[in-house]
Amino acid sequence: MSLRLPPALPFLRNLPTNGPIRQWWRRQSPHRQDRYAMLAPLVAVLLFLAVIVVVFAYLRMEEIDREQEALRHDLEYAQQQLRLRLLERQEQLMRVARELGNREMDAEEFKGRAESLINQYPELNSMSWIDERRRIKASYSNLSASHFRLAGEILTTGETENTYNLAREVQQPVYSQRSPSPDSLSLLELHIPLSWRNKFAGVMLVEYSVDGLYRFGVPAEVTARYAFSLHDAKGELLAGTSLPKRNPATRLLPWANPANEYEVPVSPVGNGLVLKARAYRTSLGVIGSGLFWLVCTLSAMTAWMLIANWRHTRRRMQAQQALLLETNFRRAMENSMPTGMRALDLQGRITYVNAAFCQMTGWREDELVGQTAPFPYWPEEDQELLRARLDDELQGRVSSTGFQIRVKRKNGTVFDARIHVSPLIDARGQQTGWMTSMTDITEPKRIREELSASYERFTTVLEGLDAAVSVAPLGSEELLFANKLYRAWFGGDVAGHMSLIAQAGVPAVTPTDDTLDAVDGLAGFPTDTLTAAQTENAEIFVPELGKWLEVRSRYLTWVDGRLAQMVIATDITPRRHAEEQAALQAERAQAASRLITMGEMASSVAHELNQPLTAINNYCNGMVSRIKGQQISNEDLLVALEKTARQAHRAGQIIQRIRSFVKRSEPNRTSADVATMVSNAMELADIELRRHNVRLSHYIAARLPSVMVDPILIEQVLINLMKNGAESIAQAQRPTARRSVELRVVPKTIAEQNVIEFSVLDSGKGLSPEVMGRLYEAFYSTKAEGMGIGLKLCRSIVESHQGRMQAENLYNGDEVVGCRFTFWIPVTPLLSSAPAAAEAPAAPTGIS
């Protein structure tokens, strides 16, 4: 195998034949070798440019180091000169301070010495003599002073006083930086302590002008080369030349020159006064030289040309690779698609078939390509039809929806297929033939036939229903579906559907202009909640049909996606008639039960009536006797007549209560007061309980709400329960102390519903398991004279008021000590209760 060496890499020719570099090169693909050959010159140019940049950077760094060293040397020289000047002034001023401390000069002499020193040394601004009580004894200042201290003034509180105290403590000269004066003059204070016989005698305050120190203390030869300035401890400019600050963004650039500046504190002042120097930019450096930019430009142009050539080569290779991938992709797509493809030229000769076409027909590609009509996959009995189809294809008379044909496989089996034909256009826009796509529709055809048969079965079932079924879209006057019974009742019009919805109380959508234009006004809105909702039921009477109908409706999504409403109307007229008869029979049974109850209580009622009648007879006989003997006054007569009237009223009340209880009347539910209803029932039941020598106790909770009931029916339930309790006690032969029936009426909450609970507790022998199991069974009774309809009617009455009744034994350990019957009535009746339920109690279905 020969080693292909591109011209761009001639150094490989000088390498050993079996060297590691040549072996690595042989292992690379031609594509990689071309890429490496293209990258080699680019890498060489980039290395050259990098070397030039490094050399120029090294030279620039050397230049910067030299400039920084020169700046540092000149700054130290200027600092030394400024320090010597301050020390000289300090020495002269300390001599004056010693003379003041030794009392060798007075105030006038001090002013003369101060004037001489200030005029001789321009950096001095003022001199003041302050005694130990902070009182100014003498002061002198030049004409440019910011303020003048008068003799006799007291040193004000502030920075000057603080420095005064510091000098007093340390007994050494103290420098301090004073805040700028109103005329922006920066001052430096020097406090020199005075001593008289080793005692503090005050200070001599000397104020330096910082600007004067800069102008006369910093040598002129260094200020000409650099920008010198004096700053305080916070970095604020006090005197000197200030250069503009550099932009922080430009300092981050790689070619930006570093700032050549230094700063040192000024002795003996300390950190309170800082001397700063910064070099002027006198040259552009090596980066600004033309040679540097010329080399950079040439290198960049060379690199750009090599990169452009490399990108062009890469695009060409990418295009070739993309073309290869596209070809393979199209070939794989044609081989994987289930649709058969066939190409015909303008003469009707097969020029191309894909793998799916060959798989459908069972013929190989070489057996089909080049064939002319009749083709081998044509069934013999369909050849004339298929030839006519082929002629229409070649003439361009094809349908966009395609057509269906039968195709014969190589093994002789036949299947159904759908053919679509389109012209085959080349790159120049000329037609070169026809492209045909063939799809096997055997399975879809079978599914379509099964769906058709399923639809027929479904339609047959709906047509045979004994209920009218109709479907209509919301807000439209179109009837989507109606079965046979609906058409028989209402015809094929949607008016019957809308009438059922309106009478059943189901909201309907009024048709709009959009719905008349077959536009679904609810399109786009979520319908999952509506279609998942439960069916709405209602019972209505249709006068046109003379029938009672149970109407059920629900929302559903029609096959075209529209929201529709289905209504199912079932004829319930026979059931309504049966319910009316049952209600009438129940009403008669209740009246009969009340008569039976009063019949059973007849002896007790007679005894109860005998008492007021006997009293009336006694009162009347007594009055007749006393009137005949003229032994009664008008007042006594009036009292006797009032007692007679009360007894007659009592007897009348008993008779009226019995008459109201047994009178047959239509059920009438009204808002009844619970306490009044219970009191009426107790008044009648107490007669029977006293006959059995049974005490009646009661507890009625205060402020009970009114309930919507038929009071007579509820009183009947209470009387029956209390009467049964008394009879149970009598049968158990309980002693007198244990012969009691208790009635409790309290409010409760059951299943999140506010109810009134009625409980009747007796101290009888309770209920056996056998009796408990057949407690509400019709015509079952444990009493010899009982008819077995009392408790059944009681539970029916309670359930007709949407309540429940239950019974349980009371235990004391293992002994049964009584029984408790409990029933409850809801305070607010459920809205879903049917009107028929309010008219007649429902028949019991079992034991609660």
Side-chain angles (χ1 to χ4, degrees):
M1 176 180 178
S2 61
L3 181 64
R4 186 174 67 93
L5 296 177
L9 297 176
F11 64 92
L12 291 177
R13 302 180 185 275
N14 301 326
L15 296 176
T17 305
N18 296 325
I21 297 181
R22 280 184 175 264
Q23 292 179 1
W24 171 81
W25 182 261
R26 290 191 186 97
R27 290 194 298 267
Q28 304 305 314
S29 64
H31 176 68
R32 286 183 176 270
Q33 291 178 1
D34 292 340
R35 180 174 295 181
Y36 293 150
M38 185 60 65
L39 289 177
L42 177 61
V43 173
V45 172
L46 294 178
L47 289 176
F48 172 74
L49 182 60
V51 170
I52 295 298
V53 171
V54 170
V55 171
F56 284 168
Y58 175 75
L59 295 177
R60 179 56 181 163
M61 291 175 61
E62 287 290 331
E63 182 182 358
I64 292 174
D65 289 341
R66 289 195 300 271
E67 291 178 356
Q68 290 178 350
E69 186 64 28
L71 176 62
R72 189 182 301 110
H73 180 271
D74 291 340
L75 179 63
E76 292 175 353
Y77 171 70
Q79 186 240 14
Q80 187 68 21
Q81 293 297 321
L82 190 59
R83 175 175 176 275
L84 291 175
R85 190 173 186 87
L86 285 173
L87 291 176
E88 289 177 358
R89 299 293 87 76
Q90 180 178 335
E91 184 64 28
Q92 293 175 351
L93 294 171
M94 289 183 67
R95 286 197 295 270
V96 175
R98 283 194 293 271
E99 293 179 3
L100 287 175
N102 296 330
R103 309 292 175 86
E104 295 178 0
M105 68 172 63
D106 55 9
E108 293 300 328
E109 292 178 349
F110 173 76
K111 290 182 179 180
R113 293 286 296 276
E115 181 180 4
S116 174
L117 290 174
I118 290 174
N119 292 334
Q120 183 178 358
Y121 304 110
E123 65 270 20
L124 296 179
N125 194 65
S126 66
M127 295 178 62
S128 300
W129 179 13
I130 304 173
D131 62 8
E132 66 277 8
R133 293 189 299 276
R134 296 184 179 86
R135 187 181 301 277
I136 299 174
K137 299 184 65 175
S139 178
Y140 178 79
S141 177
N142 58 14
L143 296 178
S144 61
S146 60
H147 64 278
F148 184 76
R149 293 184 175 87
L150 300 177
E153 290 182 352
I154 301 300
L155 190 64
T156 59
T157 303
E159 297 176 355
T160 303
E161 183 184 8
N162 296 335
T163 310
Y164 174 90
N165 295 332
L166 182 61
R168 180 176 184 176
E169 292 176 3
V170 301
Q171 291 294 317
Q172 295 290 336
V174 177
Y175 287 91
S176 68
Q177 179 65 41
R178 184 178 172 185
S179 300
S181 59
D183 56 359
S184 300
L185 182 63
S186 300
L187 300 177
L188 181 67
E189 293 183 350
L190 173 61
H191 291 251
I192 302 175
L194 306 179
S195 179
W196 166 250
R197 294 180 180 177
N198 295 329
K199 292 183 180 180
F200 178 75
V203 297
M204 184 177 70
L205 173 60
V206 182
E207 293 181 345
Y208 288 88
S209 171
V210 178
D211 185 67
L213 284 175
Y214 169 77
R215 286 189 291 106
F216 298 101
V218 180
E221 60 270 18
V222 296
T223 56
R225 295 194 298 269
Y226 306 102
F228 278 85
S229 57
L230 290 172
H231 299 259
D232 59 8
K234 299 179 180 178
E236 297 293 334
L237 177 66
L238 301 177
T241 305
S242 175
L243 293 179
K245 293 184 178 180
R246 302 178 64 190
N247 188 357
T250 59
R251 285 185 291 178
L252 300 176
L253 299 176
W255 59 80
N257 295 327
N260 190 8
E261 59 182 6
Y262 285 96
E263 61 182 29
V264 292
V266 177
S267 299
V269 179
N271 294 330
L273 188 64
V274 178
L275 179 63
K276 182 181 293 186
R278 183 175 177 182
Y280 296 106
R281 185 174 181 181
T282 57
S283 64
L284 297 176
V286 294
I287 301 299
S289 63
L291 178 61
F292 173 79
W293 291 112
L294 178 61
V295 173
C296 291
T297 302
L298 292 176
S299 301
M301 291 179 64
T302 304
W304 177 78
M305 289 186 294
L306 289 174
I307 292 175
N309 188 16
W310 174 70
R311 292 181 62 186
H312 175 72
T313 304
R314 187 181 63 176
R315 288 197 200 97
R316 185 180 63 185
M317 296 178 64
Q318 289 176 348
Q320 294 176 355
Q321 186 69 18
L323 180 60
L324 180 60
L325 292 175
E326 182 69 18
T327 303
N328 295 335
F329 173 76
R330 289 182 177 274
R331 175 67 65 178
M333 182 176 63
E334 293 175 0
N335 293 334
S336 62
M337 64 187 306
T339 303
M341 304 297 295
R342 180 200 65 181
L344 300 177
D345 59 12
L346 296 177
Q347 288 74 35
R349 183 181 291 104
I350 297 177
T351 59
Y352 167 79
V353 289
N354 68 343
F357 190 91
C358 296
Q359 185 178 1
M360 288 182 186
T361 60
W363 299 89
R364 298 193 308 272
E365 182 179 1
D366 56 348
E367 294 175 339
L368 295 176
V369 174
Q371 293 286 337
T372 57
F375 300 120
Y377 51 83
W378 282 2
E380 290 78 3
E381 60 273 14
D382 296 341
Q383 288 190 3
E384 293 183 4
L385 175 62
L386 294 176
R387 186 178 292 276
R389 292 278 190 181
L390 180 60
D391 293 339
D392 292 341
E393 274 187 55
L394 298 178
Q395 297 299 324
R397 298 189 297 269
V398 294
S399 174
S400 59
T401 60
F403 54 90
Q404 180 177 336
I405 65 171
R406 296 200 311 155
V407 180
K408 185 181 69 173
R409 296 188 179 93
K410 190 175 182 179
N411 58 9
T413 59
V414 179
F415 65 93
D416 295 315
R418 178 165 289 277
I419 300 295
H420 293 269
V421 181
S422 61
L424 186 61
I425 308 299
D426 62 4
R428 293 174 295 180
Q430 298 180 358
Q431 182 177 353
T432 60
W434 300 90
M435 178 61 71
T436 304
S437 64
M438 183 174 68
T439 305
D440 186 357
I441 61 171
T442 303
E443 186 65 18
K445 186 177 180 181
R446 183 187 63 81
I447 295 175
R448 190 180 303 110
E449 292 175 353
E450 291 182 356
L451 288 177
S452 178
S454 176
Y455 174 76
E456 292 179 0
R457 291 193 298 269
F458 177 71
T459 305
T460 302
V461 171
L462 289 181
E463 292 291 344
L465 286 178
D466 59 350
V469 181
S470 60
V471 181
L474 292 184
S476 175
E477 295 184 353
E478 177 187 3
L479 188 63
L480 298 177
F481 176 81
N483 69 342
K484 181 179 179 180
L485 187 58
Y486 177 89
R487 296 192 299 272
W489 284 353
F490 305 102
D493 193 4
V494 75
H497 177 91
M498 303 302 295
S499 175
L500 292 176
I501 293 176
Q503 293 186 54
V506 181
V509 180
T510 305
T512 61
D513 295 338
D514 291 342
T515 57
L516 296 178
D517 293 337
V519 177
D520 189 0
L522 301 175
F525 287 90
T527 59
D528 296 341
T529 305
L530 286 175
T531 55
Q534 295 182 355
T535 304
E536 299 179 356
N537 298 349
E539 295 181 2
I540 62 173
F541 181 75
V542 182
E544 295 82 359
L545 301 177
K547 299 177 183 293
W548 279 92
L549 300 181
E550 181 185 18
V551 180
R552 290 172 291 172
S553 67
R554 67 169 300 163
Y555 297 97
L556 53 86
T557 303
W558 196 240
V559 293
D560 57 359
R562 286 185 293 174
L563 184 62
Q565 190 172 20
M566 179 176 66
V567 175
I568 303 175
T570 306
D571 185 4
I572 60 171
T573 304
R575 193 189 75 187
R576 292 287 299 210
H577 291 332
E579 289 177 353
E580 292 175 0
Q581 292 296 327
L584 182 59
Q585 294 296 333
E587 180 184 348
R588 293 173 179 173
Q590 292 167 9
S593 175
R594 291 195 292 270
L595 291 174
I596 292 171
T597 301
M598 292 312 303
E600 294 174 350
M601 297 171 59
S603 60
S604 300
V605 172
H607 176 72
E608 190 70 16
L609 288 175
N610 187 50
Q611 292 180 2
L613 292 177
T614 302
I616 292 173
N617 183 46
N618 294 333
Y619 285 137
C620 290
N621 291 333
M623 286 187 293
V624 170
S625 300
R626 295 183 68 180
I627 290 174
K628 288 181 179 180
Q630 296 182 356
Q631 298 176 355
I632 187 170
S633 63
N634 291 335
E635 289 80 4
D636 294 338
L637 180 61
L638 182 61
V639 172
L641 289 175
E642 288 178 351
K643 291 183 179 179
T644 304
R646 282 198 297 271
Q647 294 297 327
H649 179 69
R650 178 187 173 190
Q653 281 185 329
I654 295 174
I655 295 173
Q656 180 63 28
R657 182 63 57 201
I658 295 172
R659 181 176 180 276
S660 299
F661 181 71
V662 300
K663 183 180 70 172
R664 180 178 178 182
S665 62
E666 295 295 329
N668 181 24
R669 291 194 181 184
T670 59
S671 179
D673 181 65
V674 176
T676 302
M677 186 168 55
V678 173
S679 177
N680 293 337
M682 290 172 55
E683 185 175 348
L684 289 177
D686 190 47
I687 299 174
E688 181 70 12
L689 267 65
R690 287 200 305 270
R691 185 173 72 86
H692 291 289
N693 194 19
V694 176
R695 297 189 311 275
L696 175 62
S697 60
H698 68 277
Y699 170 77
I700 303 176
R703 296 186 295 275
L704 289 175
S706 299
V707 291
M708 187 66 65
V709 296
D710 188 331
I712 297 299
L713 295 180
I714 302 302
E715 290 176 14
Q716 181 179 352
V717 174
L718 293 173
I719 291 172
N720 280 337
L721 295 180
M722 289 186 287
K723 175 176 169 292
N724 288 344
E727 292 174 351
S728 177
I729 295 172
Q731 290 179 2
Q733 297 181 357
R734 299 294 188 188
T736 304
R738 295 179 56 186
R739 300 174 72 88
S740 65
V741 171
E742 180 183 2
L743 173 62
R744 296 180 59 84
V745 183
V746 294
K748 276 195 174 183
T749 300
I750 299 177
E752 300 181 357
Q753 185 181 13
N754 295 327
V755 302
I756 303 298
E757 184 183 74
F758 301 82
S759 300
V760 177
L761 295 83
D762 63 66
S763 56
K765 61 180 180 180
L767 301 173
S768 64
E770 179 185 359
V771 174
M772 187 72 74
R774 305 178 62 184
L775 191 60
Y776 303 106
E777 183 177 334
F779 307 110
Y780 175 78
S781 176
T782 58
K783 296 179 290 184
E785 69 279 6
M787 296 182 62
I789 62 174
L791 287 178
K792 177 181 180 299
L793 284 176
C794 289
R795 193 177 76 160
S796 299
I797 292 172
V798 171
E799 290 182 350
S800 71
H801 288 81
Q802 304 170 19
R804 292 294 181 269
M805 173 181 281
Q806 63 182 7
E808 59 181 342
N809 289 327
L810 302 178
Y811 292 90
N812 184 8
D814 295 333
E815 180 185 2
V816 178
V817 295
C819 182
R820 174 168 54 201
F821 278 84
T822 304
F823 70 92
W824 54 262
I825 302 295
V827 175
T828 303
L830 297 177
L831 298 178
S832 60
S833 60
E839 298 173 1
T845 57
I847 297 176
S848 334

